[in-house]
Amino acid sequence: NAGVTQTPKFRILKIGQSMTLQCAQDMNHNYMYWYRQDPGMGLKLIYYSVGAGITDKGEVPNGYNVSRSTTEDFPLRLELAAPSQTSVYFCANSYLVSNYGYTFGSGTRLTVV
Amino acid sequence: DQQVKQNSPSLSVQEGRISILNCDYTNSMFDYFLWYKKYPAEGPTFLISISSIKDKNEDGRFTVFLNKSAKHLSLHIVPSQPGDSAVYFCAASAIYGGSQGNLIFGKGTKLSVKP
C-alpha cells in the first residue's frame, strides 16, 4: 500500500509559470487536503475535499485551484506562480473528519524564482 | 491569529530523560487534539491523539495530557531516545465548529535528543 503519493518531489518554477502538483491515494478515503508549510511555520490548509466532486477553500486558497473528479486523485494547480508560493506542499487524506488523524504524503518542495 | 500555539521552537533533552512538549489553544470549540511527528524530507506522521472528554491518553512511551480549563495540552515522551529527534506538531479540530473539522496546526517544536 502506497498510502498518499505526491509528485513531483521537487520543482523549480519561474514567476508566472503554471504547474500541477499531483496527489493520489489508494486508501479509498473520502477526505483529502492540501497544506503548505513555510519555514518555521505550521501547516496552513489551502483546499480540502470531502468527496469526489466536492471541494472547498481552506485558510490560504488564493493563487491555487483544485479539482476532485475521482476519489483517488486530488491535484493542486498553480496558475501564475509567485515567489510567495515557494513552500513545501503536503497532501493528506482521512477516513472521516479528523478524529482518525490524517495520512500525509512525503511532500513537494516548490521554489519559485 | 493563531488558534494553536507552540511557543517553544526547539527543545533539547538528554537521552533517557523526559521530553515535555507544550501546546496552547484559543478556540474553545476544539474537541479533538493530535500530535504529529515530522522527520526532514518526510510528511508528518500521526503520533497520538486525545478527545476533549479525556484528560490523559497513553501509548507506550508517549502520553498526552489535556487541561481544558487552561486550554493547554502537553506531550510527554519517557524515556526519550535519539530516534525521537524530529519536529512535533500539535493540531486541533472542532467537529461541530466552523472549520468543518479540519485540523489546525501549531508551528511545531523541534526536539533534539542527545545521546
Side-chain angles (χ1 to χ4, degrees), chain A residues 31 33 35 37 40-45 48 56-59 88 90 97-107 109, chain B residues 2 31-32 34 36 38 41-46 49 87 89 93-95 99-108:
Chain A
Y31 293 78
Y33 313 85
Y35 282 87
Q37 184 192 9
M41 303 294 288
L43 287 83
K44 302 276 188 181
L45 182 64
Y48 67 98
D56 210 342
K57 296 178 181 179
E59 186 181 355
V88 181
F90 291 101
V97 178
S98 57
N99 278 12
Y100 292 85
Y102 292 5
T103 299
F104 282 86
S106 58
R109 183 175 294 274
Chain B
Q2 273 191 280
D31 52 14
Y32 204 77
L34 306 91
Y36 282 81
K38 185 184 179 304
E42 294 183 11
T45 55
F46 172 72
S49 63
V87 177
F89 290 100
S93 72
I95 301 298
S99 64
Q100 301 292 319
N102 295 327
L103 289 181
I104 308 297
F105 285 84
K107 292 184 178 183

Side-chain angles (χ1 to χ4, degrees), chain B residues 75-115:
Chain B
L75 174 68
H76 292 210
I77 306 173
V78 184
S80 301
Q81 299 173 354
D84 296 329
S85 297
V87 177
Y88 289 79
F89 290 100
C90 173
S93 72
I95 301 298
Y96 301 105
S99 64
Q100 301 292 319
N102 295 327
L103 289 181
I104 308 297
F105 285 84
K107 292 184 178 183
T109 296
K110 183 176 183 179
L111 173 66
S112 299
V113 180
K114 309 255 183 243

Side-chain angles (χ1 to χ4, degrees), chain A residues 25 27-30 32 51-52 68-74:
Chain A
Q25 60 148 346
M27 302 168 73
N28 202 34
H29 288 181
N30 280 329
M32 295 191 77
R68 185 92 183 273
S69 56
T70 65
T71 300
E72 292 76 23
D73 299 300
F74 190 41

